[in-house]
Structures are given as structure tokens and as C-alpha cells.
Amino acid sequence: MNSPSTQFVSSGRMGMYDPIHQIGMWGENFKSNGISNASTSMFIAGNPNSSQPILIAADTKLDNQSEDTSHGTLGPSSKYDQEASKPIDKVKRRLAQNREAARKSRLRKKAYVQQLESSRLKLFQLEQELERARHQGLYIGGVETSHMGFAGPINSGIATFEMEYGHWLEEQNKNICDLRTALNAHISDFELRILVDTGINHYSELFRMKATAAKADVFYLMSGMWKSSAERFFLWIGGFRPSELLKVLKPQLEPLTDQQLLDVCNLKQSCQQAEDALSQGMEKLQQTLAETVAAGRLGEASHMPQMDTAMEKLEGLVRFVQQADHLRQITLQQMSIILTTRQAARGLLALGEYFQRLRALSTLWVTRPREPA
Amino acid sequence: MQEAIPFRTYIPATATSGGNRKFPPIGSATTIGGNVLVPANRENYVQKLVLENSVIVFGKRGCCMCHVVKRLLLGLGVNPTVFEVDEKEEAAVINELSNINGGKDVGEVGVQFPVVFVGGKLFGGLERVMATHISGELVPILKDAGALWL
């Protein structure tokens, strides 16, 4: 007969049983595979009369325990004595069953914990993805919370920049829309000029923001983490490469007059030359920094002797970003000089859309279906 | 249309322009790895340099921005003289340079290195070089100063 009551057990030899009752979680998993119920709770009562170690397991969920433990009573010792000889084997079997049950329980617990750990990791990764998605122009707000996945202290200058960049992107999207509408609507050149100037000034605004951010943390700017991943792929000294840009734009602007073609060609060339000079300067900076860091004896865990020099070199990076942004700016301005108003408007529109596409590509990439890790 | 000259080849030095040459021992200025001597007639020396060279770049030793200016000019086919200024002389040199009649307004207080002189006159820093290059004005100016043939 199955009774859910507990029985008292006396024993010196119990074997190892977990006091599992406090963990209800996988206690529920202990369905009615009868024997395993044995490990739920155990009571030990001293039985002074018993010279034999009698072991009767107690459980709270008895299902099919017909044979063994039915009646929960503290009967007189004689009762136990009577039963002592009979169920020795059964007692042994009970022991084994308990051990088995406990082992299974431990395994289940291990599996559960592992599951928890991997979920935790997944959660962390999701948070980082969300973070990146935020930075790709979907900025919502609350910068303080967004630095969980970031290493290093929160830099208020950078936090400001990220926020401002989010706004800049919104404004940029609006400008592009306006340009598109205006070009389709065939408005006057005069009005179009206003839009072109707005567009170029908007880029100037970005360069100003970047200049401030460069002083706060030039490495952050150089890393391009504030841009979407596809844009970052094309990164050159903290931004887009002006010559690349001209290559993208030129086919969009045709037809061009002969003089314009000449001017654009010259601009492309000058741009390339300026870029090369800056790139070579960067290489030199890397070289001298490497030399500075490697100076003195390596391998002895001693401090770097020329910290000050190295710091100075790093600060040189700020000037590089400034010069690169300056180059971007004057390239844009020169283009707007070479082109007619209408062409300039088309150019700005094309440029804006190009970057929009890169950003869209990045988002698509982040959300692409992936095989489970 | 101007022809592009790959930056690795350039016009060989002429009498009036040269690369990082060693200066005459009477008043040696610092070049690459050179010793610093401060000659008595220092004041005029810098001025003389400016006047004698169609293009001269003053920059701090080891400064990478100076390197940028140099490479840009080299890429155009110019062989600029480069004067590398030691930290110690920095203030003095800046002082002299500011005093040189730049032809334009010398209201550009605080000359910042690197600084370029073209045709004996103050031209400007890296930004000005870049801006004039992009706008297409630089090459004609260099040609006028005799720094560039072709």
C-alpha cells in the first residue's frame, strides 16, 4: 500500500544522500519512476533496540512502493525485528536504488546549471548586439545604460558625441529626403542651392563634433565604433576616404562638361596625393611609436622608459584626425564649386544614400540568421 | 592638365633647392641626426635659408606632420628643403620666423610647426598646403616660385 507518510529510519550506514528537499526545481522532475522517489527526504531515528543496521528509506512521494515501506509507524522494536530478516535483500536493493536516484539527481542538477550558464552568455551577447544596433542610427536614449558591453571607463565626451551623432543621423536622413523631394519636384536653383548649402554645412557640423570628440578620446574615433560595421570596413583615419568617395560619385553626376571633367579629374588626383601623404605620415607615426614602446630592454617586465615621448606621439593622432577631416571637408567644398547647383544636389543625395545603404547593410548583417553557436 | 609624378621619383636638387642637406659649418642648423650648434649669426641664418630656398619646410624633429608636408611636396615633384628644429631652439626659431616679412599680414600669431615658406615668403601650415592643393592653387604658386618645373 502506498502511503505518503514518512517512515523513520535508523541507520549508521546511509550512503550519500543529498538533502534535496530544498531544491524543488528538479524535485518536480522526479516523476513516478517509483524508486527514484527515495531520495526526497530522509529521517533518521535512533532505534536503540536494533543491533542490526536496518534501513528503511522514507519518502514523500510513494507511488509503486508496494513491497517495502508502507506503514509509517514507530512501532515497538519487535516489529522491526520481525521484518529484519525478511527484507535484507530488499533493503540492499533500496540502498542501491537510492544511490542511483541520487546520482541521477546530481546529473540533472549539473545539466541545469550548465544550461543556466549558457543562457547567461547568450544574454550577454544579445545585449551587445542590441548595443550595436542602437549605434547604427537607431539611437533611443539613455546613454549610461548602454555601456555594459564596453570595456573601459565611460567617457562623458564620448557619451556626448554618441548622442549627438544619433541626432546627426536623424537630421541627415531628413536632409536626404528633402533633397530627393526637391530634385523630383524641379524647384528653382535658388532654393536648391539652399538645400545644398544645408547639406554641406551638416557635414561641417559632423567634423566639428568629431574634433571635440578627438580631444576626449582619439582612439575611440579612430576605431570607428560610432559607425556601422560596413562603414567601418572602409575606415580611413576615423572617417571616409575622400578619393573613394569621388570614385563613387563621379558616375552619378554625368553628364559633365569638359571643363568639369578636367576639374574633377584634377580633384581626384590632388585628393589621392593628399591622402597618400597623410597615410605615410600615419605610418611614420606607427613606426616611431613602435620604436618608442620597444625602447629599453624587453622581456624583463620593466617599465617603459619613454612614457612621455610615447604619450606625445599618441597626441599626434589628434592632429591626424583633424587633418583628415579637413581634407574631407575641402574635398566636399571643392566639389560643390566645380558642379552646378543641380549637380551638387544630386551629388549630395547620392552620397547620402550611399552611406544609408552601407548602414542598412550593416543592420542586415547583424540580424542575419546564424547557426547556433 | 598637370601630370602626376609618382611620389617616389622627383626632380634632382638644383642650386637653390635641396633635400635635407647639411648646412655649412659656419652656422650649422640641425638636420637629421646632426649636432646642434648655435652660431653667433643665427638670426640671419634662418632668414637666409628662407630667402635662398624656393621651398623650405620648418618642422620639429621627428614630427609626423612635417613628414606629411614633405611627402606631399615630394609627390608633386618638389624637392623641399627641410629644416628640423630641435626642441631647445624651437622658441627662437619661431620668433625669427614670425619676424620675417611674410609679404602677407604677419598677423598669424604663433607660427605652428610645420610651417612652409615659398619663394621667400611665409606660406602657411599643413592646412593651407592641403587647402591650396585641393583647390588647385598650389602648383601654380610653386611654379612661380621656381620650385617646380613642367
Side-chain angles (χ1 to χ4, degrees):
Chain A
M1 189 157 94
N2 302 332
S3 102
S5 56
T6 57
Q7 285 199 316
F8 295 96
V9 175
S10 73
S11 166
R13 299 181 203 147
M14 279 270 288
M16 298 205 302
Y17 292 93
D18 290 343
I20 302 173
H21 56 270
Q22 76 262 32
I23 304 174
M25 183 69 83
W26 65 83
E28 287 164 4
N29 294 336
F30 283 55
K31 297 282 189 209
S32 44
N33 51 357
I35 339 171
S36 57
N37 289 336
S39 50
T40 40
S41 41
M42 242 61 63
F43 292 91
I44 306 170
N47 190 342
N49 292 337
S50 133
S51 52
Q52 287 174 328
I54 296 172
L55 221 109
I56 305 174
D59 33 11
T60 50
K61 284 189 197 173
L62 280 177
D63 288 340
N64 311 322
Q65 307 301 335
S66 39
E67 341 168 39
D68 292 331
T69 58
S70 321
H71 320 284
T73 49
L74 248 185
S77 8
S78 53
K79 223 184 192 171
Y80 284 109
D81 286 340
Q82 277 175 21
E83 310 217 69
S85 48
K86 201 168 60 161
I88 284 285
D89 285 335
K90 292 181 182 166
V91 164
K92 280 192 186 155
R93 195 170 118 231
R94 201 48 135 103
L95 272 174
Q97 285 165 357
N98 283 343
R99 271 198 293 278
E100 188 59 38
R103 193 176 68 84
K104 283 194 183 150
S105 158
R106 279 193 293 279
L107 286 173
R108 259 187 286 265
K109 179 181 178 183
K110 192 172 166 201
Y112 176 68
V113 168
Q114 274 176 347
Q115 205 183 16
L116 272 181
E117 288 289 303
S118 68
S119 297
R120 193 168 143 260
L121 192 62
K122 254 191 214 162
L123 178 64
F124 179 66
Q125 284 169 350
L126 276 174
E127 276 172 353
Q128 285 205 308
E129 263 183 52
L130 181 63
E131 192 43 48
R132 269 177 232 132
R134 274 214 192 112
H135 285 156
Q136 284 159 19
L138 308 172
Y139 186 88
I140 304 167
V143 187
E144 286 72 28
T145 59
S146 69
H147 281 268
M148 286 179 290
F150 279 60
I154 297 175
N155 187 325
S156 71
I158 296 305
T160 308
F161 175 76
E162 285 183 350
M163 194 175 69
E164 288 177 349
Y165 185 64
H167 295 150
W168 188 88
L169 279 176
E170 282 171 19
E171 182 95 16
Q172 177 72 352
N173 290 335
K174 186 179 148 294
N175 287 351
I176 292 171
C177 271
D178 290 344
L179 273 170
R180 200 180 289 125
T181 318
L183 282 168
N184 288 336
H186 303 290
I187 65 174
S188 75
D189 264 15
F190 179 76
E191 285 163 345
L192 207 52
R193 187 79 233 167
I194 296 176
L195 283 177
V196 168
D197 288 342
T198 306
I200 296 195
N201 288 339
H202 198 55
Y203 280 106
S204 304
E205 182 59 37
L206 177 63
F207 299 139
R208 264 194 295 277
M209 281 161 47
K210 283 171 73 181
T212 312
K215 294 192 194 103
D217 185 356
V218 67
F219 282 116
Y220 173 78
L221 269 188
M222 294 281 298
S223 74
M225 286 312 293
W226 48 285
K227 284 186 176 256
S228 66
S229 19
E231 286 174 296
R232 213 176 305 140
F233 179 57
F234 292 97
L235 202 71
W236 175 77
I237 312 188
F240 62 82
R241 208 181 255 275
S243 62
E244 235 2 88
L245 208 73
L246 292 176
K247 283 185 204 145
V248 165
L249 279 191
K250 183 154 168 275
Q252 312 285 337
L253 300 170
E254 279 151 14
L256 295 168
T257 68
D258 285 344
Q259 182 61 43
Q260 282 180 325
L261 275 171
L262 187 67
D263 289 339
V264 169
C265 248
N266 286 340
L267 178 59
K268 243 206 267 182
Q269 195 179 296
S270 313
C271 212
Q272 188 66 59
Q273 286 166 332
E275 271 178 39
D276 286 345
L278 279 172
S279 296
Q280 287 172 69
M282 282 289 280
E283 276 174 30
K284 176 129 195 284
L285 183 60
Q286 277 188 338
Q287 189 191 321
T288 53
L289 182 64
E291 284 167 9
T292 309
V293 169
R297 301 185 61 82
L298 287 170
E300 289 176 358
S302 55
H303 74 285
M304 191 168 93
Q306 285 148 273
M307 233 13 132
D308 288 344
T309 318
M311 291 287 278
E312 261 176 51
K313 300 271 172 235
L314 287 183
E315 274 159 36
L317 262 180
V318 177
R319 275 189 86 184
F320 270 99
V321 174
Q322 282 173 345
Q323 291 301 325
D325 277 347
H326 174 65
L327 181 62
R328 289 171 188 121
Q329 174 137 21
I330 57 184
T331 304
L332 280 173
Q333 283 167 350
Q334 184 68 9
M335 275 301 267
S336 87
I337 289 173
I338 294 174
L339 301 172
T340 65
T341 306
R342 189 151 289 267
Q343 286 169 329
R346 289 211 322 261
L348 275 176
L349 177 58
L351 187 61
E353 261 199 41
Y354 177 70
F355 287 125
Q356 274 179 339
R357 286 188 191 178
L358 281 179
R359 285 192 281 270
L361 184 63
S362 307
T363 312
L364 209 62
W365 178 257
V366 165
T367 56
R368 78 192 186 285
R370 266 169 287 191
E371 286 157 22
Chain B
M1 178 161 169
Q2 75 191 50
E3 252 185 88
I5 302 172
F7 64 83
R8 287 211 166 79
T9 67
Y10 49 85
I11 305 170
T14 66
T16 53
S17 70
N20 299 347
R21 60 177 184 186
K22 294 232 176 0
F23 290 102
I26 41 154
S28 49
T30 62
T31 55
I32 305 168
N35 290 327
V36 182
L37 290 178
V38 185
N41 56 342
R42 181 110 190 118
E43 288 219 357
N44 293 330
Y45 188 67
V46 170
Q47 190 148 22
K48 242 193 331 168
L49 276 179
V50 167
L51 293 171
E52 282 175 1
N53 289 283
S54 52
V55 178
I56 179 164
V57 181
F58 291 88
K60 283 200 264 195
R61 178 195 293 282
C63 168
C64 296
M65 281 301 161
C66 182
H67 191 73
V68 173
V69 175
K70 189 169 80 171
R71 294 247 67 110
L72 182 55
L73 290 173
L74 283 172
L76 299 180
V78 178
N79 196 358
T81 309
V82 178
F83 186 108
E84 290 185 353
V85 181
D86 246 356
E87 253 186 77
K88 294 169 251 173
E89 329 172 293
E90 205 179 305
V93 173
I94 290 181
N95 211 11
E96 291 174 57
L97 293 177
S98 315
N99 291 335
I100 292 174
N101 184 6
K104 324 178 325 164
D105 59 330
V106 201
E108 292 181 53
V109 192
V111 168
Q112 198 202 16
F113 291 125
V115 64
V116 182
F117 284 77
V118 177
K121 294 192 235 143
L122 174 67
F123 186 75
L126 179 58
E127 267 187 39
R128 177 124 199 270
V129 172
M130 289 278 191
T132 50
H133 185 46
I134 293 294
S135 66
E137 296 164 345
L138 184 60
V139 169
I141 292 176
L142 290 172
K143 283 187 181 164
D144 278 347
L148 196 53
W149 287 262
L150 271 185

